[in-house]
Amino acid sequence: MLDGKRVVHVDVDRTRLNRFAHVTVAVAADAASAARDFLRLLDEAEIAASTFIDRATQRIASRIADTTDRGTDDTVDIHTALSLVDRIVPGDRVVVTDNGRFIKHAFVALHVEHPSRYAHAVNFGSIGLGMATALGASYAAPERPVLLACGDGGFAEGGLSELVTAVMQRRNIIVLLLNDGAYGAEYVHLANRGMDPVCTTFDWPDFGPIASAIGAQAATVRNTKELEDALEKFDFAAGPVLLDVRIDPRRV
Ligand SMILES: Cc1ncc(C[n+]2csc(CCOP(=O)(O)OP(=O)(O)O)c2C)c(N)n1
């Protein structure tokens, strides 16, 4: 990552400077005051801001603008699923995301009324922490529903056991399970290299009926109509909900 780059490493701990990579400039300082000084010096030198942020914003905007529905009779389009859920789940919610390729879509599609109502469960890069984080968020803000966006891989790693807790503790947690039957993040790497992605796919047990059996409200949806019907039927103020949305891994 750093090859051929000029790197400025700012760190409060000077023993870490130059430890992991040889950097161009090492600055022993805290990030906030170093950033303020950088800005002041750039301003003094009359160096205008680059267009880096504009380009990034444009890229994201063009992704949001692409609203082509790639759903089929038995799979739901991921954007359609996210935007319907965004619209119908009560707006005073807290949003939590697990990790997986779906987050690129979830991050731009799911809204909160204030940044403090978003709980990031991806700091560690691990999948499978979303449901536990959603439980924590639900205790931190018991008056609000918590909307968790989760992949099937992440949900299988701990989500189901924590759903039991959510049922027993009557937490208002809405699990949006974006179920492409695969470790989608890996699926796409193999598929893009022309390799057979079958080893990244799973024939999971049916999560919807399992969630119903343990006492959650649950539905499995395979097309937009089923999704709309399910969203209408749920009582978001009456304990946990599991919405198992079937997605074609090739259409994400
Ligand atoms: C504990 C853990 N195991 C494996 C990984 C590697 N990994 C990152 S994303 C991912 C796939 C997650 O699949 P899923 O939850 O279904 O979401 P999708 O990528 O399909 O959207 C995996 C296995 C990880 N980050 N953490």
Side-chain angles (χ1 to χ4, degrees), residues 99-102 125-127 151-155 157 180 182-186:
N99 197 11
R101 71 163 158 174
F102 72 88
S126 175
I127 63 171
D152 43 296
F155 187 73
E157 280 187 30
D180 62 357
Y183 279 163
E186 276 72 29

Side-chain angles (χ1 to χ4, degrees), residues 7-18:
V7 178
V8 181
H9 180 175
V10 180
D11 208 309
V12 278
D13 179 354
R14 57 176 65 240
T15 66
R16 284 198 291 236
L17 295 169
N18 274 319

Side-chain angles (χ1 to χ4, degrees), residues 6-236:
R6 285 175 297 163
V7 178
V8 181
H9 180 175
V10 180
D11 208 309
V12 278
D13 179 354
R14 57 176 65 240
T15 66
R16 284 198 291 236
L17 295 169
N18 274 319
R19 183 158 154 203
F20 304 109
H22 184 67
V23 297
T24 322
V25 182
V27 184
D30 75 279
S33 54
R36 273 193 298 272
D37 285 348
F38 265 52
L39 283 180
R40 187 177 48 74
L41 291 168
L42 288 167
D43 279 348
E44 267 178 23
E46 296 180 359
I47 297 171
S50 76
T51 55
F52 154 74
I53 290 217
D54 295 342
R55 281 202 307 272
T57 314
Q58 269 167 18
R59 229 182 15 245
I60 291 167
S62 69
R63 246 188 240 158
I64 298 169
D66 178 11
T67 51
T68 318
D69 187 299
R70 296 183 173 83
T72 64
D73 285 349
D74 33 48
T75 55
V76 184
D77 176 74
I78 189 165
H79 296 115
T80 301
L82 284 160
S83 61
L84 274 172
V85 166
D86 184 57
R87 208 167 342 124
I88 292 168
V89 170
D92 61 345
R93 64 199 172 213
V94 176
V95 167
V96 179
T97 49
D98 204 281
N99 197 11
R101 71 163 158 174
F102 72 88
I103 56 173
K104 282 190 189 168
H105 309 286
F107 282 159
V108 293
L110 298 179
H111 298 89
V112 285
E113 289 171 343
H114 186 270
S116 65
R117 302 206 185 127
Y118 169 68
H120 191 65
V122 190
N123 302 302
F124 187 63
S126 175
I127 63 171
L129 302 179
M131 191 64 204
T133 306
L135 271 171
S138 169
Y139 278 99
E143 71 288 2
R144 299 181 185 286
V146 176
L147 170 61
L148 167 68
C150 195
D152 43 296
F155 187 73
E157 280 187 30
L160 205 49
S161 55
E162 298 295 3
L163 185 66
V164 173
T165 313
V167 170
M168 291 171 71
Q169 299 299 321
R170 297 194 177 81
R171 310 316 301 177
N172 282 346
I173 297 175
I174 300 131
V175 183
L176 170 61
L177 186 59
L178 297 161
N179 187 351
D180 62 357
Y183 279 163
E186 276 72 29
Y187 185 100
V188 71
H189 280 302
L190 297 190
N192 286 350
R193 286 170 174 75
M195 297 161 81
D196 185 352
V198 71
C199 62
T200 69
T201 62
F202 294 93
D203 189 12
W204 302 114
D206 216 349
F207 294 120
I210 295 173
S212 291
I214 61 174
Q217 302 175 68
T220 306
V221 296
R222 294 187 170 80
N223 55 50
T224 309
K225 172 81 175 65
E226 289 179 3
L227 174 61
E228 285 167 339
D229 291 347
L231 285 169
E232 210 162 284
K233 187 189 72 181
F234 291 134
D235 179 354
F236 295 117

